[in-house]
Amino acid sequence: MTKPDLSYLLRKSDPSAYTDPPARPQQERRDEAARPVGPTAALIARLRNYQVELEAQNKVLRYSQAAAESASERFEALFSSVPLALMVIDAHDMVVQANSMAHRSFQPTEADRPLTALLPFVDAAHTPRVRHAFSLAAGSGHAEATEVVFHIGANAQINGDLHIARIEAPQDDGPPQYQYLCAIVDQGPLLAERRALQQSTWALQQRNEQLYASEKRHAAVINSALDAIVCVDRTQRITVFNPTAAALFQCPESDALGSPLERFLPQAAQALAFAQVTTQAMLGEMTARTASGRELAVEVSVSFEQLADGGTTTVFARDLTAHKRAEARRGELELQLRESHKMQAVGTMAGGIAHDFNNILGAILGNVELARADCPADSPVQESLREISKAGRRARDLVRQILTFSRNEAPRRTPVPLAAILHDTERLLRVTLPPDIELRVRASASVPAVLADATQVEQAVLNLCTNAIQAMSGRRGRVDVEVQAAHPDARTCERLGLTAGRYVSVTVRDSGPGMDPDTLTRVFEPFFTTKPVGQGTGLGLAVVHGVMRAHGGAVDVGSTPGKGSCFTLYFPAADDHVVPADFAPSSPSPLADALESAGPERHVMYVDDDQALVFLVQRLLRRRGYKVSGFTDPREALSALAQAPWEVDLLVTDYNMPGFSGLELLREARRLHPDLPMALASGYVTQEIEQAAMDAGAAALVHKPNDVEELCATVQRLVRGDG
């Protein structure tokens, strides 16, 4: 067996062991020479060498023992003083050795469970992981189990990582046994710090999400704002340009970013000087410029915010185009409302005075006719009476125009073709058409019918054409009248107050001198006229306006001085399935039998609160052979009728009488004499009055003031029983 070379250890433990021996004295060299030689000497030399080697091995063993004892001491000191819970556990989970940190951690008080085994301290949910870690350490030499919960006492616990290292314990009489060095690293502070860090991270994440949501809301507010929002930096370069600003200034955002603010708001540079004295400023109305150079009015306000990099300015611009348009429209509506109120006031006045004024006119016209009948045909008085009659008829026509204009009730609307009305109007116009005026009428038979009162429509068209002809008096010109289907656009409907739908338009266009703006604004004003005194009443166009209003339509007018005028009437078109009735001319036919003899004497009872009118009717009818009973008090008339109801052949009563209306008189008379012919007279007849009169038993309506012939013809017709 080869002996180990211990020279290295000898040199470390005793350096002098392998140095050359010192020089020996001369006596020793002589003694050595005297020593025995041969096999004995060689044996002695070998023994001496063995002795030296044994001494060296003893020194090495003593050094190794000292080093092992020092290492053991150092391990014990380290094992005891390391700030970790360390313990040595055998294969049966028995704690062989544990340091003071382990005892303080697992048995802080004497009442706690003694540290004799590790697994009883492990949480039941973590025990399988700990056992598996020990199994891994037995095979591979080391293992670990993280975040293991160790229960200490009743309320305390340790959250730590278990690190396991396998060690061998030698045995004198057998193979070595495995033991396990366990180190428990308390992760409680680290876990608390981790939880705090996680909480901080979560809070930071929440804060970031809130900031992101706030930025999104801020961006949504900016992008959906109705005002243009422009942000500029300290050099007045645009940094934010919302979609409303892009639409207002007609410039895409990509092109606007980086541009100077003066590109769109030339006056903004002066306004930004307010940033030194305030945080907000209302600059009011300013002139802005679009990308194409078009100017527009905007209302501007600014907000200044001081930041670390110098601050930012936010400019809010509101488009005033729609506001100004709305103001203009409101002005137009206010003007229309004033005109409407003015016309309504005139209508109320006309309705109020119609009764008395018609009675006066009726008395005048009736007495004129009686006077003419009493005077010889060659009497010079006849001329004066004719002039009085002419003036009275003119006053009568004027009152009728006022009533037509002032009536607010819907007219009797039946399906009528406008083309037929237009041709009849043309026939009436050509009778008095001046030779230097050309009249052109274009009307297609395929134009839809309209629901209208034929008489009122004819009157409206006739008034327009008459005005156009009179506007060109003394000069050559042309009047064009055209009927066609129309679909007015939304702007026209809004301006004229029409509802969307189908219409039939009647356009009257002339080549006359036209009208200036001031005249155009008053053209439908009652009693306003540009004609000399005695040549116009100022009600022609007011009547047209009233007719169109009553028919649910509108009248539009356009005129330029020197280029003529154009009036357009819009009538709502009737449904396609409505068939218009045959149209008859509105001009009355002569009453040939008005002056015929009444035959046997008939008794007529006439009731009116105007004494002059009662006296007139009595004289008129008595001359034609009637017996007439006149009353100004309807109650007296009813009392007389009750005494001899069958002696009266006809009852004619006024509608509007104080204290007792004509309708009440008709109802009471019908109760007394159911078969008695009755008529109602009024100067202001509406559909409601007409229907009520028919329900009360009236067989006819007499419109006051009327001609003598018309009144007598109505009386004769009713007395004969032809009505």
Side-chain angles (χ1 to χ4, degrees), residues 7 80 103 105 107 125 156 189 191 197 232 243 285 300 326 333 337 366 386 388 430 448 506 558 570 670 679 698:
S7 59
S80 300
H103 284 287
S105 299
Q107 191 179 3
L191 291 177
L197 183 60
V232 296
E285 184 174 344
V300 178
L333 293 177
L337 183 60
R386 281 194 298 269
I388 294 174
R430 290 194 182 277
V506 179
Y570 290 98
R670 188 177 184 181

Side-chain angles (χ1 to χ4, degrees), residues 165-176:
R166 187 190 65 192
I167 57 178
E168 295 182 359
Q171 301 293 326
D172 295 336
D173 55 352

Side-chain angles (χ1 to χ4, degrees), residues 206-222:
Q206 291 293 110
R207 178 61 177 167
N208 290 337
E209 291 178 356
Q210 293 176 359
L211 290 176
Y212 179 69
S214 177
E215 290 179 357
K216 290 184 65 177
R217 288 194 300 268
H218 181 68
V221 169
I222 292 178

Side-chain angles (χ1 to χ4, degrees), residues 440-453:
R440 296 180 180 179
V441 178
R442 292 191 299 271
S444 174
S446 60
V447 175
V450 297
L451 291 175
D453 185 320

